[in-house]
Amino acid sequence: MKYYIDIKLLGDTEISLGFIWQKVYAQMHLALVEQKNSEGLCRVGFAFPHYKELFPLGDTLRLFSYAKEDLELLRVEEILKNLLDYVKIDEIKEVPNDVKNYATFSRKQFKYNSERLARRQAKRKGISFEEALKNYEEFDEEKKKTDNKLPYVNIDSLSSQNKMKIFIVKEISKEPKEGLFSTYGLSKTSTVPCF
C-alpha cells in the first residue's frame, strides 16, 4: 500500500460517533461496490488507526490503496458531501517509508443470528416469524456476550432491508501481504500499514 486518505469523524453531544460511523461506513461501502472487480473485490482497503483506543473503532477511517488513482476514483468528498459537518477529509498522502507493523482488518460473521435462523425456520416449517423467533431466544443471550467483545459498525443492508452489524477483527503482522479487499474494505489476508 502506497497511498492513504484519512476521514476523521467529528462526534459531539448532539450526534454520536456511532451514528456518524454508520453513515460514513455505509457510503464508503457503496463507493467500493461501484469499484469492485468481476470477483467482487476492491483495490482499496480500510484501517482503523485508533481501534479500541477511543470509541471501539476510534474516530478515524483510513483508506489505503496501491495507486493514488484508486483513491481519487472513490470521490470521497462528493460521496460524503451530506456529512461534511461531521467529518474532516484529509488530502491523499503517501504512506511513510518507516512502517514497521501491518494489520489485517477482517469481518467476523457469527454463525448464529436468531433472526436469520427464525426466518429460515418459519419458511421451512410454514410457521410465523414471531413463533420461530421464540425458538431462538437463547441465541440472543449468547450473542449479547459476544457483541461486547468486538468493535462493530451498524449499517442498513440495501439488499435485504435489514440492519446488520459488521464486526471487525484486527490482527497485527510484521510482514505486508498484498491482495484485494471486500466491498466493506476488509480482508482476512491482505494487510494495511499501521502507523
Side-chain angles (χ1 to χ4, degrees), residues 179-195:
L180 299 175
F181 298 85
S182 73
T183 57
Y184 293 105
L186 307 172
S187 173
K188 290 189 184 306
T189 56
S190 303
T191 61
V192 292
C194 286
F195 58 90

Side-chain angles (χ1 to χ4, degrees), residues 53-122:
E53 289 174 20
L54 299 165
F55 183 80
L57 285 174
D59 64 355
T60 304
L61 176 61
R62 184 169 286 162
L63 286 60
F64 284 100
S65 71
Y66 300 102
K68 188 176 183 179
E69 296 77 27
D70 293 328
L71 292 175
E72 291 170 342
L73 283 171
L74 284 178
R75 304 176 336 270
V76 174
E77 284 201 27
E78 184 179 326
I79 287 170
L80 298 178
K81 67 183 174 197
N82 293 333
L83 298 168
L84 291 178
D85 289 342
Y86 308 106
V87 297
K88 178 182 175 277
I89 303 166
D90 286 348
E91 61 187 41
I92 298 172
K93 298 177 186 167
E94 286 190 41
V95 171
N97 292 327
D98 61 348
V99 173
K100 297 197 178 5
N101 288 313
Y102 300 86
T104 58
F105 288 95
S106 60
R107 181 177 180 191
K108 172 73 175 168
Q109 289 183 282
F110 297 99
K111 294 185 193 274
Y112 50 86
N113 175 322
S114 59
E115 290 182 10
R116 180 175 54 84
L117 293 171
R119 276 193 297 275
R120 284 181 52 202
Q121 186 181 70

Side-chain angles (χ1 to χ4, degrees), residues 147-160:
D147 284 2
N148 295 326
K149 294 180 183 175
L150 283 178
Y152 63 88
V153 177
N154 282 311
I155 65 169
D156 297 322
S157 170
L158 295 177
S159 59
S160 67

Side-chain angles (χ1 to χ4, degrees), residues 154-170:
N154 282 311
I155 65 169
D156 297 322
S157 170
L158 295 177
S159 59
S160 67
Q161 303 301 313
N162 293 322
K163 291 196 178 292
M164 58 190 223
K165 291 181 180 179
I166 307 293
F167 290 93
I168 299 172
V169 178
K170 177 183 181 180

Side-chain angles (χ1 to χ4, degrees), residues 24-37:
V24 168
Y25 206 93
Q27 291 302 311
M28 296 315 304
H29 163 61
L30 291 174
L32 291 181
V33 167
E34 291 180 16
Q35 301 295 321
K36 69 182 179 180
N37 66 17

